[in-house]
Amino acid sequence: MKANVKSSPLEKSVQQTTITGADRGPRPEGVPALKLETLQDTEEEHFPKIPKDAAGKNVSGDLTGLSMSWGSPASTQSKQCFVTEMKDSAVDNGESLQLSYRVQTQRSPLSSHKPNLDSSHFTCKITAQHNYSQTNTVRPNNKMRDAEELTEDRKLQAVIEQVMVDQLSRAVISDPEQNAVSVSPTSVPLRYRRTLHHTKVKTRMSLTENILSNKLCFQARILSRCGREASRKLIGFFFTCDQTLTVYEYRNFGKNRWNALPFITRGVYLNRGRPYCLQDISQGAELRFCTDGPHLPQSLRQQPCLTLRVTDLDDTAKRALLTQSGETLHHLSEEEISDRNTLKEIQGAVRDRLKGHAVRTQINLGRELQTLHLKSDSIQQKELLRRSLMEQLCLTQQDFEAVWRIVSRRAEGRVHPDDVMRAVTGEMSENRKAIFLKVYVKLDPNKTGSIFLSDAEKFYRGKQESDAALEASLNPDFLAFVREAGKVTKTVSYAEFEDYYEGLSIEIPDDEEYINNLRATWSI
């Protein structure tokens, strides 16, 4: 008598897996066939290796056990080819990427409507992406630069609105002109001398929004060898209604907060005995003020004169204001034209002589000028400055006297050695200066006036020259320069940093090349 042995669920599942596609019967109509070989993924599944005999035939027999549902089993030849491709792809990484891409294309339901990409196209695409990533590490992204410019424009508009609110918020009742109302001093006590009944509704200096709308906005910077003063961001306004001028400084308090603070009080200022006019405000023009203003910092009040350089303005708005006001064009006098031509000729000759060693000469000359600042005697200052310029720049006695006369006339007798040096060697353009100041603010964000040697080495991305190249070149490498300048204090002053890049500006005549050099070196 046979015992009835019940098969376990595991045995039933094993038996079910051995059922072939033919045992299941024909595939119903309307049901698509399953192609399981296209569902295999090389990254997630491991395929069994099919052993072969000497004739190249499969030993394990048909792999029909892998088929499911009504689909017909895959042919042995196609599976063998696929496994062979998978084996070969493990050797070459590039072929593996191509195979994976081809498998994913086959799995896509829209693959029949798209042309297949060959291996050369796929390899070129990878190479192009790699080259693009390398290029991005050298040159800054244009989109990021456009975003920074947009942020600066919005910041400038916010500052202009703050300035207009500050000018319009000055109440009429607090105007100093109100105290000029005629009241008998004997009949009224001193503290009650002006009452509401004796107050004007509108004074001569009272402002309205329509009056202040006729203005010219410009940006400026301070001409100084101090990094804290040179990196101040100034914005000025010239009002054509009363020929007044005012300057504000805008600072950032936090990440997204910018405030405009008064720097030069609104008023009428003189230039060589005449008030500043609209035509005096132009790019590159110098505006001079006395240092007795109430809003100037203590460091600037110690200077005999404050000189601002106009860096940018709206030429279209200036022409519209000139047409509206009917102001005639101000032509330069013959003396001013002669002075400009003389300085241009001297600067061209000096810069030609400095080619090849401009950086080294600018650094040495700047260090000598620092010692001249300690001399109080102007006659001795002039003699030491003449000797230094003639020695370092091969300047003749006649050229030095011509430069001294022009600078003295412009500064109304208050000659500074830095002004003479700028008049002899010239300066970099304002476009170059703007990028240079961005570099300095990045290295000295707290505006202390000096750069730490560790920060300069950390942010520097320039090419480091070998010792043999440094010996052959007369201009020092930047890292060698900062290590020499900061070997005692571990810091580099703004004046030395500026002298290095002023000399480099002489060596690179093209503006675009110079700006790209600074951007790539400091990742600006």
Side-chain angles (χ1 to χ4, degrees), residues 421-432:
M421 178 180 175
R422 284 192 293 265
V424 172
T425 60
E427 292 182 271
M428 66 176 75
S429 62
E430 292 302 324
N431 294 332
R432 300 188 182 195

Side-chain angles (χ1 to χ4, degrees), residues 12 85 94 99 110 146 163 181 270 295 324 332 387 435 437 450 505:
K12 290 182 178 180
E85 289 180 2
L99 183 60
L110 301 177
D146 294 340
V163 172
V181 179
L270 302 180
H295 303 295
Q324 181 181 0
L332 297 177
R387 190 181 307 171
I435 303 298
L437 290 177
S450 59
S505 179

Side-chain angles (χ1 to χ4, degrees), residues 193-221:
R193 180 165 297 177
R194 181 167 67 89
T195 61
L196 183 61
H197 300 284
H198 299 94
T199 302
K200 293 182 179 180
V201 178
K202 181 179 179 180
T203 60
R204 184 176 56 87
M205 297 296 294
S206 60
L207 302 174
T208 61
E209 188 174 358
N210 292 332
I211 294 177
L212 292 181
S213 62
N214 298 325
K215 65 183 183 303
L216 177 64
C217 176
F218 61 91
Q219 299 187 50
R221 62 181 178 90

